């Protein structure tokens, strides 16, 4: 909750002051393929290139995995979560999300920016990729990944003693009643 109060304060001050930086690197449109777990039961969101075959796995926390999955499968929580609150805060300030961008991989951690527009100004806010993705899904904003991260992920992600490897089946499709089958998790 403190994080959201800080977000609201930062959002108000940033919108009052400045403009966004221009993207420096080529950005590739992606979609959320699925949310799954690796062989150690750590949640992973799999982003896939919209017009290609590359994928980018990003390890995330369980709360963010639940939030992203719920939005993907149209199963809202009975009470608003932090991503729902962030959406409402942004909308209440007459702002909207232009896009989210996964920008870099540093020290094994991905970084992202949330690009907002309000009162004719665009601003970039540093956010965790999982929060950016969860919010983008809620407001139907584009999710982008910097081109060089696909190559960095190929180098950084592989079979190792820490289990940071992932393979995944095709994404399950929702059933007619709106529910979705569980993603099989075998030897991820």
């Amino acid at each position: 909750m403190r994080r959201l109060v800080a977000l609201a304060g930062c959002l108000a001050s940033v919108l009052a002051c400045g403009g966004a930086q221009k993207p420096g690197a080529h950005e590739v449109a992606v979609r959320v393929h699925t949310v799954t777990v690796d062989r150690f039961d750590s949640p992973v969101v799999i982003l896939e290139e919209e017009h290609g075959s590359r994928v980018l796995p990003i390890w995330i926390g369980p709360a963010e995995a639940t939030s992203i999955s719920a939005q993907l499968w149209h199963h809202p929580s009975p009470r608003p979560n932090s991503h729902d609150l962030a959406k409402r805060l942004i909308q209440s300030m007459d702002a909207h999300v232009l896009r989210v961008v996964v920008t870099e991989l540093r020290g094994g951690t991905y970084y992202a920016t949330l690009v907002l527009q309000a009162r004719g100004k665009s601003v970039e806010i540093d956010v965790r990729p999982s929060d950016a993705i969860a919010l983008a899904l809620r407001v139907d904003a584009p999710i982008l990944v910097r081109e060089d991260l696909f190559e960095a992920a190929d180098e950084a992600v592989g079979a190792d003693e820490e289990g940071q490897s992932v393979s995944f089946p095709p994404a399950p499709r929702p059933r007619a009643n709106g529910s979705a089958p569980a993603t099989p998790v075998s030897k991820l």
Side-chain angles (χ1 to χ4, degrees):
M1 186 60 161
R2 284 183 282 183
R3 188 170 51 172
L4 289 173
V5 171
L7 170 67
C10 288
L11 178 60
S13 63
V14 167
L15 289 174
C17 295
Q21 300 172 5
K22 298 197 188 299
H26 182 66
E27 297 168 350
V28 178
V30 296
R31 66 180 149 261
V32 177
H33 175 73
T34 193
V35 176
T36 188
V37 294
D38 68 9
R39 64 184 174 185
F40 296 106
D41 290 330
S42 296
V44 183
V45 61
I46 307 295
L47 302 178
E48 70 178 346
E49 193 175 15
E50 281 191 3
H51 303 290
S53 60
R54 297 180 292 181
V55 296
L56 183 69
I58 300 177
W59 277 258
I60 61 176
E64 293 78 11
T66 300
S67 180
I68 292 168
S69 294
Q71 192 64 31
L72 279 176
W73 301 112
H74 309 289
H75 292 287
S77 63
R79 297 289 301 143
N81 66 23
S82 59
H83 302 113
D84 299 321
L85 179 57
K87 172 186 171 182
R88 290 178 184 167
L89 283 170
I90 291 167
Q91 290 173 336
S92 72
M93 299 177 102
D94 293 325
H96 66 277
V97 179
L98 293 176
R99 66 185 176 278
V100 300
V101 185
V102 181
T103 57
E104 66 179 303
L105 174 62
R106 185 173 6 120
T109 301
Y110 283 99
Y111 292 80
T113 58
L114 173 66
V115 183
L116 299 174
Q117 184 169 38
R119 295 182 290 248
K121 297 178 183 177
S122 294
V123 294
E124 288 185 9
I125 299 171
D126 179 43
V127 295
R128 297 182 308 176
S130 56
D131 292 328
I133 293 164
L135 184 57
L137 291 173
R138 281 165 173 73
V139 299
D140 199 29
I143 303 170
L144 306 169
V145 171
R146 295 262 168 95
E147 177 85 36
D148 58 341
L149 292 182
F150 289 105
E151 288 81 29
D154 286 343
E155 294 170 15
V157 177
D160 65 13
E161 63 278 356
E162 295 180 25
Q164 298 293 305
S165 63
V166 66
S167 61
F168 52 93
R173 299 293 175 222
R175 296 182 181 126
N177 67 2
S179 67
T183 301
V185 183
S186 58
K187 297 186 180 181
L188 291 179

